[in-house]
Amino acid sequence: NAIRLAGDMSHMASFFVLLFKINKSKSVAGISLKTQELYVLVFCTRYVDIFWNHLSLYNSLMKVIFIALSVMIVYVMRRGVPQRSTYNPELDSFPHHWLVLPCVLLGVAINQDPTSPFEMAWAFSIYLEAVAIMPQLHMVQKHGEAENLTSHYIFLLGLYRVFYLVNWVYRYMTEDGYWQAIVWVSGAVQAVLYLDFFYNYVKSKQKD
Amino acid sequence: GETDAKKDEL
């Protein structure tokens, strides 16, 4: 449906905005490497089914694109010259292990098929995605204010989440028996994390 | 199947 497509497009746009920013400014200052590495982990654990689930060309292609773009971002941040010298590890200080560990435990404990390692990995990726933005938001707070393109990037990620939430309401109403508790609760948590950022983003845009 | 309905999303 169109709402979900809008969500996927804003999600993909967020990758391109970030890649554009780090290529054009030659700097990754203010970007959390931890958040970007968590996203690589999120996509690699969620899309292992790329090898056996062929739902549509769109679905498979987008999975490849999301993995490739997230890996590319981490690669530029770690290896890019001069980008790698502009990274601020002292500001990227969120204790991310405390995000991963509970998500592993939750993924093993709460999933749709306790006999399937794939379902555990899949649930883990849903839980981790919900909180993966936290190191980035933490960094923005420490910095005081995010650069324009960085804030557009975070805004697009939040927008993607909002579109998905609306899409789930739409699917619940139009598809008989469509019900995804794990995804909905995690998605709602994820959206809540953006509220404060959204508020400040809109406020600063009004000032401009 | 029903449990896989979610996997059509990204």
Side-chain angles (χ1 to χ4, degrees):
Chain A
N1 66 64
I3 313 158
R4 207 192 100 194
L5 185 65
D8 289 343
M9 290 305 116
S10 41
H11 198 177
M12 190 154 73
S14 76
F15 289 109
F16 284 113
V17 165
L18 187 56
L19 274 170
F20 175 79
K21 184 247 177 299
I22 60 185
N23 275 311
K24 180 146 199 212
S25 70
K26 301 278 170 228
S27 165
V28 297
I31 309 290
S32 167
L33 178 61
K34 285 177 178 175
T35 282
Q36 296 308 319
E37 290 181 338
L38 291 180
Y39 281 135
V40 170
L41 190 56
V42 163
F43 296 131
C44 289
T45 49
R46 185 174 311 166
Y47 299 156
V48 269
D49 69 341
I50 201 169
F51 297 108
W52 65 86
N53 268 338
H54 297 287
L55 296 150
S56 64
L57 179 65
Y58 173 83
N59 187 271
S60 300
L61 196 64
M62 290 296 273
K63 286 173 176 173
V64 174
I65 291 174
F66 280 14
I67 293 174
L69 291 177
S70 60
V71 168
M72 205 183 290
I73 288 166
V74 167
Y75 181 82
V76 175
M77 290 188 77
R78 280 185 168 275
R79 296 283 159 86
V81 178
Q83 284 92 342
R84 66 180 184 198
S85 62
T86 61
Y87 171 60
N88 336 102
E90 66 286 346
L91 289 173
D92 196 10
S93 55
F94 192 89
H96 61 299
H97 297 110
W98 292 105
L99 296 178
V100 179
L101 197 68
C103 291
V104 170
L105 297 176
L106 265 180
V108 171
I110 306 172
N111 56 66
Q112 292 204 325
D113 180 0
T115 63
S116 157
F118 166 63
E119 286 294 338
M120 290 180 193
W122 192 88
F124 161 76
S125 84
I126 295 292
Y127 302 135
L128 188 62
E129 186 192 345
V131 293
I133 197 66
M134 287 176 85
Q136 179 63 63
L137 293 176
H138 173 79
M139 213 169 171
V140 169
Q141 278 187 333
K142 272 196 139 184
H143 248 290
E145 206 170 334
E147 266 179 73
N148 236 340
L149 281 169
T150 308
S151 67
H152 294 332
Y153 163 72
I154 302 172
F155 175 76
L156 283 167
L157 270 178
L159 190 64
Y160 138 70
R161 195 34 52 182
V162 172
F163 276 129
Y164 257 72
L165 286 175
V166 179
N167 151 65
W168 293 329
V169 174
Y170 174 78
R171 290 189 74 170
Y172 179 73
M173 294 191 307
T174 56
E175 284 174 44
D176 194 35
Y178 184 81
W179 168 253
Q180 305 291 345
I182 291 175
V183 188
W184 293 353
V185 172
S186 311
V189 168
Q190 189 173 349
V192 165
L193 293 179
Y194 286 93
L195 286 180
D196 180 64
F197 173 83
F198 271 146
Y199 174 79
N200 289 308
Y201 183 84
V202 171
K203 210 170 62 175
S204 81
K205 291 291 159 279
Q206 281 171 341
K207 243 194 317 196
D208 291 346
Chain B
E2 206 178 327
T3 55
D4 263 325
K6 65 191 184 294
K7 305 263 179 358
D8 63 6
E9 294 182 343
L10 296 162

